[in-house]
Each structure stands twice: as C-alpha cells, then as structure tokens.
Amino acid sequence: MRRRLTLVAAAAALGLALAGCGGAADTPAESAAPPSEATGNVGVFTWWADGSEKVGLDALVGVFNTDFPKLTFDNLAVAGGAGSQAKSVLAAQLKAGNPPDSFQAHAGAELQDYIDAEQLEDLSSFYADNKLTEQFPKDLVDRLTVDGKIYSVPSNIHRSNVVWANVDVLKKAGLDPAKPAENLDAWFADMDKIKAAGKTPLAVAGSWTQVQLFENVLLSSLGVDGYNGLWDGKTDWKGADVTKAIEAYKKALSYTNSDRDSLSDWAPATQLVEDGAAAYNLMGDWAEAKFAQDGKKAGVDYSYFPMPGTQGVFNFLADSFTLPVGAPNPDGAKAWLTTVGSAEGQSAFNKAKGSIPANITAKTDDFSEYQKSAIKDFSQDKIVSSLAHGAAVPVAWLNELSTAVSKFGGDGNVATLQESAAATAAKFAQ
Amino acid sequence: MFRRVKHWGPGLLLLAPTIILVGVFVYWLMFENFRVSLTNQHTAKPSNKYVGFENYTNLMADPNFQHSLWNLLILTVVFLAGTLFFGFLWAWILDKPAKGEGFFRAVYLFPMAVSFIASGVVWRWLLSSLQTDQSGGERTTGLNRLLDSVGLGFAQNDWWSNPTWGIAAIGVPAVWQLSGYVMALFLAGFRGIPEELREAARIDGCSEWKLYRHVIFPQLNPVMLSAVIIIGHMSLKLFDLIRAIVPDANTYDVQVPATMMWVKYIGSDYADAAAIGMILLVLVALVVIPYLMYTSRAEKR
C-alpha cells in the first residue's frame, strides 16, 4: 500500500515538474511552426451563443474549417447578460492561469484591462507576417495599438449611433421618414408629435442601453472634440455645456417607455419599434440583423439614420480576438486569428452578423443596403469610440458611470449625475 | 505518550480531511479575501499595495453604497415581517384540525421547492412596471394588468423601478417563496406543545386568547428565533432573486451590497468587491453569532 502511494506521489511530482517546464519553455509568440501545420483543438471563448451572433460565429467557423482542416474548433461560448456572464467566467479562468486559446473582447479601452494585467500576447509580428496593417483602416489600427504593440485581431466593426425608426408610426404622426431630424431639438419636436399621436416616441431598455443613449446625446450635444475630451480629460465634466447635454438626455428620457428597466436586453426595445408600439430606438447596428431575421424591409417597414446631431460621425466599437498568455495551443490560436482577419472570414462573418468587415479587402457585394451605407460612412466619417461598449474607457470607469446613469433614470437629478460623472472621471483619467 | 495518541489519533484522522478542506476552502479563502480587501487592486492590473482600511472608509462614505445598505435594510424588514406574519398565520390556521390540512400544507410549502432563479423569471413578468394609464399602456402585463382588470387600477405602481422603496417589491416574491417554510417551523412548534398543557390551561379557566398569550406563544419563542435567524441571514445574502427579476445587474434602484459586489467584481475592482464581501460577512455574523451563543447556552442548561 505504502509503495503504491509513493508511486502516485512520484508521478504527481513528475507531472508538476513537466507542467512547470512546459510553461517555461513555451513562449508562444516566438514559436516557430507556421499556423498551417498546427493540429489539435482550438478553444475559442465568446458570448455569441444565439441569434444573429451565433449565425455569424458559425459562418466564421465554416471558413476556419475549410482553411485549416487539421484543426478542430472548440466552441466555448457562454451566454447571457450582453457578455457580462462570459466576462466573469473568463476573468476567473485567466486569473487561474487557465486561458482559452483565444477569446473575444471589445477593441479599445476594454482590451487595456487585459493588457495591463499582462494576460495578452503581443501580436505585432503576427500582423507583420500576415500583412494585416495594410488590410485594416489606419484609424482602427491606431486604436488597437498600445505603446507600439497590437494585441488583438478585430473581426468586425459596429456603429452605435444609429436610430431605427418605424416607418408606419412616423407617417401616422405626420412625419416624413425620409427626412430625419437634423439636430436634437428638431428630434424632440418630432417626438412631441409622435407622443400626441399616442405612441411611445423612443424605446429604450435596461442600464446599458440607457448608457448608450446617454453617450450619443453627449456626442450630439458636445460635438466630436467635446465628446472625445470627456475621456482624455480635455473636456471639463463640470462645464456648462455638459450640464446642457445632461438636460437634453433628461428630456430624451422623458420620451421613453416607462418600463425601460424591466426590459431584459436591447432586443425587446427594438421589438417595440418593429411592432409599431414605439417610433424610435437608438441602437447599435446589430439591430439590422434582427430586422433582417424577422423579415422586415429597410425603407418599407423600418428606416435608419445617424442620431440627430451626429451626422458624419461614426461611433465605433469592434469585436476582436486575442491570443492569451499561456494559451494551450498557440499555433492553433494563430490559425484561428488568421481566419478572423482574412478577407473571406470577415465577409462570411459580417454578412450574417449585420456589422461591417474591419478588413477593407473583404468582398461586400452581397451585403445588405444598411451595411453598404455603413461601409461608406466608416471610410469617410469622423470616428469616435463608444462608451457603453468598452471602447472609450476601462470597465471600472464604465461601471461607475453606468451606476450614475441608472440612478439618474430614477431621480432625474442633473447636478448629481454631473457631479458623480466628474468625480469618476477624476478618479480614472490619467 | 503513545497511549494518548491512541486515544485521540483515530478521531483526528477521521476528521482531518474535513478540517483541511474547511480550513482551505472556507477560512483560508476568507483570509485571502480579507487580504485583497486591504490592497489597492482596483483594476485588472495586478497590484498588492496595502492601503489599510481605506477601501472600507471609502465605501462607507460612498452614497451609492449607503443606498445599497438602506435597500438591504428595507428588504430585510419586508422579508422578515412578511414571512413571519404569513408563516405564523397559516400555521395557526392549520393548527386547528381542519379538513384538507395535508393539501394546504403542500400548497403553502410548495414555493420553497422552486429556486429563486426560476421564480424570479416569473416574477420579473409579474412585477413589470408599466401601468395601463401610461403611454404604451396596452402592453401592460403582470400584477398591474391584474389590478386594472379587477377594478383596482389605482393600486398599480412601478414596483421595483423606484429608487427609494422599489426594493420592497423584491421582498414580495421572497415572502411568497419562504412563508411556507416559516409555516412549517411554526407548525412543528405548535405540534410540539403537549395537548395536556392546553387542557390544563382550559381547566384553569383560560380564555382562548389567554391560552395563546400565556401558554403557547412563550413556547414558540425558540421557533421564532430560528425563523428570524434563517430568514434574516438569507435576506442579507439575497442575490439570485434580484438578478433574476432585474435584467441589468447595475440597476441603481435595487442595488444591495451583494449585487454591488458582483458589479465591482465584473469591473475588475477586486479590492472593493472583497471589502463588500467582508462587510457582508460581518453583517451575517452579527445575525448568526447571537443565535449560536443562545443555542449553546440552551444546550448547556
């Protein structure tokens, strides 16, 4: 009995020693084998578990399987909470030193948290090997670059400042769906007419969709430079123009459905527009995929336009994939990233998800009308980073600001919101 | 020496796995949590600089955290008062031999068999804040629709979507869920009182009210105390029900320390999350320790 125990102990010790060696010798970034020769499983972690997002991921996996038949895709998707469930699971796994081969993260400030925690490999040489810098727009590459290094491969680009409208409701209220309001005041005047016609003017859902509305009212009210300054400290949060913007947000909230906090996610709010119960919904362009899936026609059933006052501005967020430090199959992960960044992969994925390809060489001939307009806008508009989607500020900052915005939804106290937003900015801004 | 080892050795050997597991997974983790709560680990970036009790003082000064404590207080009061009231009422009714007692007992106890998450999904719908006289009122569902259709339209309200009292609405499903359990406790208490005592009191000329007041209620005190402890500490830890009813974790109206801890944790603010965890631990201890002391003293007696 004792001998057997000793054996087990010895085996365990040996296993530990081997694992230790493996960890030390394997620096994935320097690994020599090309991705095409990689074998085994590639575990990819996302929160794309259903709906248009799942369809998009499946399309991407289809391309991956053709590109790399020797590799097996292992879907590690975690559903729920607009990614918050997935992020908590991921944080626990990364802390435990048990990362997946690749995981999804929003490009921009959200990625910064993982970089600061030294959980991501530098992908600069991967970009050079695959000539990706030439295939992505310069603006985007600039936003991905941190201290001269790039840590992720974007799979798509979304726009968050789009208003979706129900054509019928607008017509019945005496508005022309083809001529959206030019600025916030005109938009509020339109909403008064819709209210008079007995419909909810603006549909909104729980906390994060309110934050998204808030960020776009700020953008519309303060302009591009004023909005960007909020995140880098150049705009004073305590200023009179911010007060004015928050008052405009208060006015916008007064047009919304009173059960906003009860709606479980963005989709029920968009559904209100689809059903003709509400006129407008400010939502990212993943709403396009929902309208398409429900068989609605652009221009006939619904229309879209940039948030009034933000014409010529593209409020951007991007999903991207990473190579975590200590990934079990780094070569496989690089193969996955190759597909994610490739023109074919991006065409297949974005056609299904409703977003636009980050890779400008991707074929987009058979994309929807909205997507084509977004591609055009992205190439010529001014680009700003979305607050609600982790592009503008780190998650901790976003969280505190979200609490303040959520509180404002109840008490409507402009001064309190402004003060706490200023205090939060002072705490986090460098 | 050897004989003494022989005396306590086997017992220790038997308990060792438990001691080690509890030591590691309860006490060591508790200590580790306390350690993190003393650092300035407010972002994902690793940091182990000790700042003493600064996180605690900051939290206590934070109006959002004060609001979450206030919410916790309201929730606990509603939860406790509601379950004790209904639990006692039902037990009292069932205590008198009545037809179909088994059936009603099952009905009252049944909600406890459902998890908070599952019932929360239903209660999310029931507690929808939209009212029939508001714009979009035709979409009204749940309790507000019910109230309107039975002619009690004036009683509609926004339930949990109210920054001051909204949390009390979360207490309603919690009361629904656990009243049956408290009933079972009280029923056991009632049944534990020997029939002779009641008869003796009646022979001595006790009225029915005096019988309860002086003979039965005093004997229910231990039951009452355990009900308060169990419901009280459940209320402090209540997280799943709120998360199931309120779609967004970061909803100010119904923020309690437990949900705030989750929000901080998701935002990589590990130090604050750990500090909230410690505060919750202390609060639960404040409820549980007097009870443990009481029972150990009662056992010695």
Side-chain angles (χ1 to χ4, degrees):
Chain A
M1 183 62 207
R2 180 172 290 167
R3 180 175 293 167
R4 202 178 293 163
L5 265 180
T6 317
L7 264 176
V8 171
L14 191 67
L16 278 176
L18 281 177
C21 284
D26 223 25
T27 34
E30 315 299 336
S31 121
S36 52
E37 281 164 34
T39 52
N41 278 336
V42 187
V44 177
F45 190 96
T46 67
W47 53 85
W48 294 332
D50 50 17
S52 54
E53 301 176 327
K54 172 83 166 62
V55 178
L57 182 62
D58 288 345
L60 191 54
V61 173
V63 177
F64 176 67
N65 287 337
T66 328
D67 287 356
F68 302 99
K70 277 188 252 168
L71 285 162
T72 317
F73 179 83
D74 194 1
N75 191 347
L76 306 178
V78 171
S84 67
Q85 322 285 23
K87 280 178 209 166
S88 65
V89 173
L90 179 66
Q93 287 181 352
L94 290 176
K95 262 209 151 208
N98 182 25
D101 289 310
S102 180
F103 65 83
Q104 172 197 2
H106 287 129
E110 183 178 301
L111 216 49
Q112 189 65 42
D113 281 345
Y114 298 115
I115 297 170
D116 286 343
E118 291 164 7
Q119 287 165 335
L120 296 185
E121 293 285 354
D122 174 14
L123 290 171
S124 308
S125 60
F126 175 82
Y127 267 70
D129 293 346
N130 289 282
K131 302 197 170 52
L132 285 180
T133 12
E134 293 111 76
Q135 294 174 43
F136 291 131
K138 192 180 168 299
D139 266 339
L140 180 61
V141 174
D142 285 349
R143 268 155 217 273
L144 292 170
T145 310
V146 178
D147 299 330
K149 293 173 184 170
I150 305 181
Y151 293 89
S152 72
V153 179
S155 56
N156 59 331
I157 286 161
H158 276 299
R159 184 176 195 178
S160 88
N161 61 327
V162 190
V163 175
W164 306 86
N166 184 304
V167 171
D168 250 9
V169 174
L170 294 191
K171 278 184 185 157
K172 277 185 188 140
L175 299 167
D176 182 0
K179 278 197 196 127
E182 297 269 309
N183 56 46
L184 277 181
D185 288 332
W187 199 34
F188 291 151
D190 287 356
M191 290 208 243
D192 281 326
K193 286 184 194 157
I194 295 158
K195 211 174 185 176
K199 297 283 183 187
T200 305
L202 182 59
V204 75
S207 176
W208 75 259
T209 64
Q210 292 169 32
V211 173
Q212 186 173 317
L213 180 63
F214 179 61
E215 83 181 31
N216 284 304
V217 172
L218 286 176
L219 176 61
S220 175
S221 204
L222 300 172
V224 171
D225 293 337
Y227 174 82
N228 284 337
L230 292 172
W231 318 127
D232 61 17
K234 283 183 191 128
T235 305
D236 182 10
W237 267 101
K238 291 178 179 155
D241 45 350
V242 176
T243 315
K244 224 181 115 209
I246 296 176
E247 266 156 11
Y249 172 62
K250 186 177 179 176
K251 179 136 202 203
L253 269 192
S254 73
Y255 292 108
T256 60
N257 45 317
S258 63
D259 61 341
R260 50 181 183 256
D261 283 329
S262 317
L263 299 186
S264 58
D265 211 338
W266 65 272
T270 310
Q271 187 73 42
L272 291 180
V273 172
E274 216 177 291
D275 295 345
Y280 303 114
N281 174 224
L282 178 117
M283 191 36 63
D285 48 15
W286 41 93
E288 160 73 8
K290 176 172 166 54
F291 282 112
Q293 276 188 352
D294 295 342
K296 303 287 178 187
K297 278 214 163 67
V300 183
D301 300 309
Y302 69 97
S303 64
Y304 48 82
F305 52 90
M307 166 92 173
T310 68
Q311 294 86 347
V313 185
F314 196 104
N315 195 347
F316 126 107
L317 61 132
D319 292 305
S320 63
F321 282 92
T322 58
L323 176 58
V325 172
N329 186 359
D331 292 328
K334 283 192 175 172
W336 166 251
L337 294 177
T338 310
T339 301
V340 168
S342 72
E344 299 80 38
Q346 299 234 332
S347 285
F349 175 68
N350 288 293
K351 181 162 170 39
K353 193 169 185 266
S355 44
I356 64 174
N359 188 327
I360 42 181
T361 64
K363 275 209 180 70
T364 55
D365 306 332
D366 54 347
F367 274 35
S368 79
E369 195 193 327
Y370 167 77
Q371 284 167 308
K372 283 181 185 161
S373 77
I375 291 167
K376 190 166 142 262
D377 289 347
F378 188 68
S379 64
Q380 59 192 32
D381 283 2
K382 279 188 185 153
I383 295 170
V384 299
S385 299
S386 165
L387 162 70
H389 300 283
V393 296
V395 188
W397 185 347
L398 170 61
N399 260 343
E400 291 203 9
L401 200 47
S402 300
T403 308
V405 170
S406 168
K407 182 179 181 181
F408 184 77
D411 66 9
N413 189 327
V414 174
T416 315
L417 174 56
Q418 189 168 10
E419 269 163 34
S420 41
T424 307
K427 188 166 147 194
F428 289 102
Q430 283 88 21
Chain B
M1 178 67 201
F2 181 69
R3 281 177 67 173
R4 264 154 91 206
V5 171
K6 218 172 168 186
H7 180 64
W8 51 256
L12 182 70
L13 215 58
L14 187 70
L15 287 178
T18 317
I19 293 175
I20 292 169
L21 288 176
V22 170
V24 171
F25 290 104
V26 177
Y27 293 100
W28 182 74
L29 286 183
M30 232 187 245
F31 173 78
E32 179 66 13
N33 188 61
F34 180 61
R35 190 189 66 73
V36 173
S37 77
L38 299 179
T39 65
N40 67 343
Q41 167 93 57
H42 294 295
T43 53
K45 193 174 188 169
S47 155
N48 273 327
K49 192 172 164 280
Y50 287 93
V51 294
F53 285 88
E54 192 185 290
N55 296 323
Y56 293 88
T57 49
N58 286 347
L59 272 175
M60 288 304 178
D62 177 4
N64 291 338
F65 188 65
Q66 289 165 5
H67 176 254
S68 78
L69 286 175
W70 169 247
N71 272 348
L72 185 62
L73 181 70
I74 300 179
L75 180 65
T76 308
V77 168
V78 172
F79 195 8
L80 259 182
T83 45
L84 288 180
F85 177 76
F86 286 107
F88 182 80
L89 188 71
W90 294 339
W92 188 58
I93 295 170
L94 289 184
D95 179 42
K96 325 210 158 200
K99 257 193 187 167
E101 185 206 317
F103 173 74
F104 284 110
R105 214 168 40 201
V107 167
Y108 293 147
L109 204 52
F110 194 67
M112 211 181 90
V114 186
S115 77
F116 273 136
I117 287 287
S119 71
V121 172
V122 179
W123 279 95
R124 173 192 291 183
W125 181 82
L126 283 172
L127 294 176
S128 159
S129 63
L130 193 66
Q131 296 164 37
T132 44
D133 53 355
Q134 289 171 339
S135 98
E138 67 282 355
R139 291 186 292 110
T140 305
T141 55
L143 290 182
N144 281 346
R145 170 63 74 193
L146 178 75
L147 287 169
D148 185 59
S149 58
V150 298
L152 292 170
F154 60 89
Q156 297 183 60
N157 66 66
D158 47 10
W159 302 111
W160 55 262
S161 312
N162 176 305
T164 322
W165 299 107
I167 191 75
I170 301 286
V172 174
V175 168
W176 172 79
Q177 195 124 11
L178 280 164
S179 291
Y181 176 61
V182 175
M183 175 204 73
L185 288 179
F186 274 119
L187 206 52
F190 276 123
R191 297 282 147 87
I193 300 168
E195 194 56 32
E196 293 81 31
L197 273 181
R198 301 180 190 222
E199 276 170 16
R202 283 189 189 116
I203 288 168
D204 286 349
C206 245
S207 70
E208 199 66 3
W209 163 244
K210 277 192 171 157
L211 170 73
Y212 274 99
R213 171 76 186 76
H214 295 291
V215 178
I216 296 185
F217 289 170
Q219 303 207 41
L220 289 177
N221 277 348
V223 174
M224 173 92 157
L225 185 67
S226 19
V228 169
I229 302 300
I230 291 165
I231 301 297
H233 94 284
M234 274 183 94
S235 164
L236 293 176
K237 298 186 299 186
L238 201 63
F239 170 83
D240 37 5
L241 184 66
I242 302 175
R243 282 295 281 116
I245 293 179
V246 183
D248 213 309
N250 203 351
T251 302
Y252 177 80
D253 300 340
V254 292
Q255 201 75 285
V256 293
T259 53
M260 194 168 172
M261 176 172 79
W262 161 263
V263 171
K264 294 263 187 193
Y265 168 72
I266 292 296
S268 310
D269 193 340
Y270 298 117
D272 273 10
I276 296 176
M278 290 312 292
I279 292 172
L280 268 178
L281 181 70
V282 170
L283 288 177
V284 172
L286 284 180
V287 176
V288 175
I289 287 177
Y291 175 70
L292 292 178
M293 279 163 66
Y294 171 84
T295 46
S296 81
R297 223 180 302 145
E299 270 161 24
K300 267 183 206 148
R301 232 188 282 146

